[in-house]
Amino acid sequence: MLLSHVVAILQVNDSYGDGMADFVQDALEANGATVGYSGGPIYVDNDENTAVGVYRRYTKTDKDGHMQEIAYAVPASVILDAWGEYVCEKRYQPQRKNLHKENDFVYQALKTDFTGRDAEIELLNRFVQHNDSPLLWQAVVAEGGSGKSRLAYEFAHSLDSTWHCELVTQADLTVSKLNRIYEEAGRNLLLIADYAYTDTNELGDWIENILADTPEHDIRILMLQRQGNDPNNKSKWLESLEKKLGNVNDYMFAPEIRINRLSKDDIYIVMESYAQSKGKTLDGKECGALYEALERVDPELLRPLFAMFITDAYLEDPKRPLNWKREEALEHFCERERVAINKAVSEDCQDAAQLLTVLATITGGYSFKKGELPDFDAFEATENIGYKLYKAGIAVKADKEYTVDAITPDILGEYFVKMYLETHFNDIPDILNAAQEHKPSETDDFLTRLFTDHEADLDFIEKCCNNYLNAYSVSWGLVRRADKDKLAAIYERSKDPKIKSLLCVQYAKGLFNHFNNQTDSEEAKGILAELKILHETAHNDEVTVEYAKGLVNYIGKFSDSAEAKGILAELKILHE
């Protein structure tokens, strides 16, 4: 398999540039040849005895003036090492698997049938086909593991050739890069941000520039974001974009698309198709047992990602996942990842490999050069870390820089980091600071996702709130969970006046979100009473706004006309 991959690449010709000539020349010299090589097509011959060789055919004039065709053969085994080093420098690794990307659970693996999303696809088609504005954005909202990315992938591939689709990361959200993407597209453009980022200032600048003149082609921006428990609080990216553009609703096509849970039949299809991708089959009884397990692991959402987790574990050991709880499922696959990393490297490199994987997962990919790693004992104890991780398939190498990729899917990577930080509790501030220094926006986003998706104890939360930026991101996650008790506790514990003021506002937002979840009027009144006390003691305008929002929503949900009059009087006092 490896040899056939090399053969296929060599047949392309020297599309990799000048380095190809150096590579072939080295291989020829290694085989005792003296003739030079200056580029051009490379031919591969495979005779009946499967003796594979690399040839360079060219013409030359002999001493009598006759033209001769010269060919030099090099056994493929001679050139494999040189080829591997060359292509790795070009960020292309046919002979190495990237350990963190060899993952059946990421949406790009396409291990399951795409099912149950006809309504969402129809809404997205209306979004791109709407012709009243040259630029529109739309958000797709759901919890992690619900299938947002797969939905966007399938939709993008369903569009006709009048559309160019581009998946963008935080690094792409600059005016220059967005301009290049738009210009190179040369047709209608769909930008997909595969989770909405905190820092959207340059995206706002680009939108302003684009709209200064009428765009030649339509532009659609699809933002994929976590749902959390905050339907009435704006996402951080939306707040950032609104500060830049004013009323972002001018460019919004329609209210956000919220992905609903799949039906039982669709979950069966997910499990059956995943098993088929592994060369196995599931009967109806097995699907029923796995569905019951899913109801225990993910009772509220029945996410397809957890359906895949359970099916994968069942195929390994039919008894293992049937009585799992959510944390046990995540721990199983995180432990599998940890063991795979340790097996890939020598013992002296294991601590460094684990820590770099954590930093990479927090920051969405961690790049470094030799001698440029942050000051941690795990790095000091290991020489040539980058090269060792590159040889192990954990890092890729380009222009003397090594890059370790994040563990995906996100919900699994988040839990991997959480498990690591819990066992390296005293190092949490230093690890988060190192991540912030490397990629601040991505670190902010990660912390919010981590504390949105996963329960954490109070000591762990407090340790992660080691500075203002981290406290902001962590508390946003708790706001989205509407975890008012944890917000109240870290607010009370905080000693830093600036952080305490921030956490006071976030506590108010968490109370408001918790209020919106209530169906019982007495419970709602209790939460309003907490908000009122916080308003009266904090003397903070943002807290007052949350209290006022709660009063308004209470009128709409619970009050009769007489009670409404009293609440309106309270609102009038707040206004004055």
Side-chain angles (χ1 to χ4, degrees):
M1 180 177 178
L2 172 63
L3 198 57
S4 65
H5 201 160
V6 173
V7 167
I9 295 298
L10 290 177
Q11 287 175 321
V12 173
N13 73 31
D14 64 337
S15 59
Y16 292 93
D18 294 338
M20 178 66 83
D22 296 334
F23 152 67
V24 176
Q25 182 62 44
D26 289 345
L28 288 168
E29 290 176 358
N31 201 45
T34 57
V35 66
Y37 172 78
S38 59
I42 297 187
Y43 301 88
V44 178
D45 188 28
N46 189 342
D47 66 19
E48 293 178 358
N49 297 316
T50 66
V52 179
V54 179
Y55 291 78
R56 163 72 172 118
R57 290 191 173 91
Y58 64 99
T59 56
K60 146 181 185 178
T61 306
D62 65 17
K63 62 180 181 179
D64 297 321
H66 299 122
M67 300 295 292
Q68 274 188 320
E69 184 178 81
I70 306 295
Y72 278 88
V74 182
S77 59
V78 174
I79 58 92
L80 278 176
D81 287 339
W83 175 252
E85 293 296 326
Y86 172 72
V87 293
C88 286
E89 290 291 331
K90 298 293 182 182
R91 283 182 178 268
Y92 185 89
Q93 300 188 86
Q95 90 286 16
R96 299 188 198 283
K97 292 183 177 180
N98 187 319
L99 188 63
H100 299 329
K101 286 191 174 180
E102 289 298 313
N103 187 329
D104 289 337
F105 305 123
V106 295
Y107 71 92
Q108 302 98 321
L110 303 179
K111 293 293 184 178
T112 65
D113 291 347
F114 182 65
T115 183
R117 299 298 183 205
D118 292 346
E120 290 91 340
I121 290 289
E122 175 59 28
L123 290 172
L124 289 172
N125 275 316
R126 292 180 193 172
F127 165 57
V128 299
Q129 292 166 9
H130 190 75
N131 57 14
D132 284 355
S133 175
L135 186 144
L136 291 170
W137 67 267
Q138 175 77 74
V140 174
V141 181
E143 297 285 6
S146 297
K148 299 181 301 296
S149 299
R150 179 67 183 273
L151 172 65
Y153 175 91
E154 297 289 347
F155 175 67
H157 282 75
S158 73
L159 293 175
D160 62 29
S161 60
T162 64
W163 285 91
H164 173 78
C165 303
E166 188 87 17
L167 181 68
V168 293
T169 66
Q170 180 70 55
D172 297 315
L173 295 181
T174 66
V175 172
S176 59
K177 289 189 177 181
L178 290 169
N179 278 337
R180 178 184 57 76
I181 290 170
Y182 178 64
E183 291 166 3
E184 290 181 358
R187 49 188 160 152
N188 297 331
L189 175 64
L190 174 65
L191 293 174
I192 301 172
D194 194 5
Y195 31 62
Y197 300 91
T198 304
D199 185 1
T200 53
N201 285 332
E202 290 213 50
L203 175 61
D205 288 335
W206 180 72
I207 290 173
E208 283 185 324
N209 294 342
I210 284 288
L211 294 178
D213 298 312
T214 302
E216 184 178 353
H217 304 287
D218 286 343
I219 300 169
R220 300 291 180 263
I221 302 171
L222 189 61
M223 301 292 234
L224 310 185
Q225 70 179 61
R226 298 297 180 86
Q227 181 168 312
N229 210 346
D230 60 343
N232 294 282
N233 277 310
K234 291 177 182 175
S235 302
K236 291 189 288 182
W237 70 267
L238 188 55
E239 284 191 337
S240 173
L241 199 57
E242 191 165 66
K243 287 177 182 177
K244 193 72 183 176
L245 294 174
N247 186 12
V248 293
N249 290 335
D250 291 345
Y251 313 107
M252 183 174 69
F253 169 63
E256 58 199 16
I257 298 172
R258 291 184 176 266
I259 294 182
N260 296 314
R261 55 189 272 177
L262 291 175
S263 69
K264 186 175 183 177
D265 287 343
D266 288 323
I267 291 293
Y268 273 40
I269 291 171
V270 169
M271 294 187 296
E272 288 168 343
S273 57
Y274 184 83
Q276 288 168 6
S277 77
K278 297 288 190 178
K280 305 288 182 66
T281 58
L282 298 173
D283 60 29
K285 183 178 179 180
E286 288 174 308
C287 285
L290 293 180
Y291 188 82
E292 290 178 4
L294 179 61
E295 289 180 312
R296 284 188 289 272
V297 169
D298 194 31
E300 294 182 3
L301 300 171
L302 301 177
R303 283 169 278 191
L305 179 60
F306 281 99
M308 293 167 67
F309 285 164
I310 291 169
T311 305
D312 187 275
Y314 178 83
L315 296 175
E316 281 187 345
D317 179 354
K319 295 181 180 179
R320 178 182 290 143
L322 296 183
N323 295 306
W324 266 350
K325 295 181 180 178
R326 180 178 185 275
E327 290 72 20
E328 291 173 301
L330 291 169
E331 286 169 5
H332 171 79
F333 290 101
C334 287
E335 178 63 14
R336 179 194 286 183
E337 191 77 25
R338 188 191 68 80
V339 169
I341 294 169
N342 284 347
K343 284 184 177 180
V345 298
S346 57
E347 187 174 351
D348 69 309
C349 197
Q350 288 176 355
D351 289 344
Q354 297 287 344
L355 178 53
L356 271 170
T357 298
V358 166
L359 289 170
T361 302
I362 294 173
T363 59
Y366 195 92
S367 299
F368 62 96
K369 293 182 180 179
K370 187 176 181 179
E372 292 184 355
L373 285 169
D375 186 16
F376 287 100
D377 290 343
F379 299 151
E380 295 293 331
T382 308
E383 295 183 357
N384 299 320
I385 298 170
Y387 182 75
K388 289 178 179 179
L389 297 186
Y390 155 67
K391 286 293 186 183
I394 295 174
V396 294
K397 180 184 176 186
D399 300 325
K400 299 182 180 180
E401 183 176 74
Y402 298 96
T403 299
V404 178
D405 286 312
I407 292 175
T408 53
D410 291 339
I411 201 165
L412 189 63
E414 293 154 13
Y415 205 82
F416 182 92
V417 169
K418 180 175 179 285
M419 288 178 63
Y420 182 91
L421 294 180
E422 286 173 337
T423 58
H424 296 76
F425 188 79
N426 291 328
D427 294 329
I428 288 175
D430 291 335
I431 292 170
L432 295 183
N433 289 343
Q436 279 279 1
E437 289 175 10
H438 192 66
K439 290 182 181 177
S441 293
E442 287 85 347
T443 301
D444 291 343
D445 185 80
F446 176 86
L447 286 172
T448 297
R449 289 188 283 113
L450 171 62
F451 288 95
T452 299
D453 291 338
H454 306 285
E455 283 278 1
D457 66 47
L458 192 55
D459 289 338
F460 182 76
I461 294 170
E462 186 180 25
K463 196 74 169 180
C464 291
C465 293
N466 64 306
N467 59 40
Y468 184 87
L469 285 175
N470 290 344
Y472 176 73
S473 300
V474 169
S475 59
W476 251 109
L478 297 174
V479 168
R480 295 178 69 183
R481 287 183 71 88
D483 195 339
K484 70 180 184 68
D485 294 334
K486 296 281 177 60
L487 285 164
I490 60 170
Y491 165 58
E492 293 297 333
R493 285 189 178 195
S494 179
K495 301 294 189 289
D496 184 297
K498 188 178 178 182
I499 293 178
K500 193 173 185 72
S501 177
L502 162 72
L503 293 175
C504 179
V505 174
Q506 300 293 69
Y507 174 31
K509 290 178 182 291
L511 282 170
F512 175 69
N513 279 352
H514 189 61
F515 167 85
N516 283 326
N517 293 334
Q518 302 309 309
T519 57
D520 180 79
S521 62
E522 292 304 313
E523 290 285 342
K525 283 181 182 179
I527 297 168
L528 275 182
E530 288 186 66
L531 268 171
K532 184 174 183 179
I533 292 170
L534 197 60
H535 150 68
E536 291 173 342
T537 57
H539 306 292
N540 184 300
D541 289 345
E542 291 183 79
V543 172
T544 300
V545 167
E546 297 303 316
Y547 175 45
K549 286 160 59 178
L551 290 172
V552 170
N553 282 13
Y554 184 86
I555 292 175
K557 290 180 71 173
F558 300 112
S559 69
D560 56 28
S561 59
E563 194 175 27
K565 287 180 180 179
I567 294 173
L568 287 172
E570 177 80 3
L571 284 167
K572 184 177 180 181
I573 293 171
L574 293 179
H575 168 68
E576 294 171 347

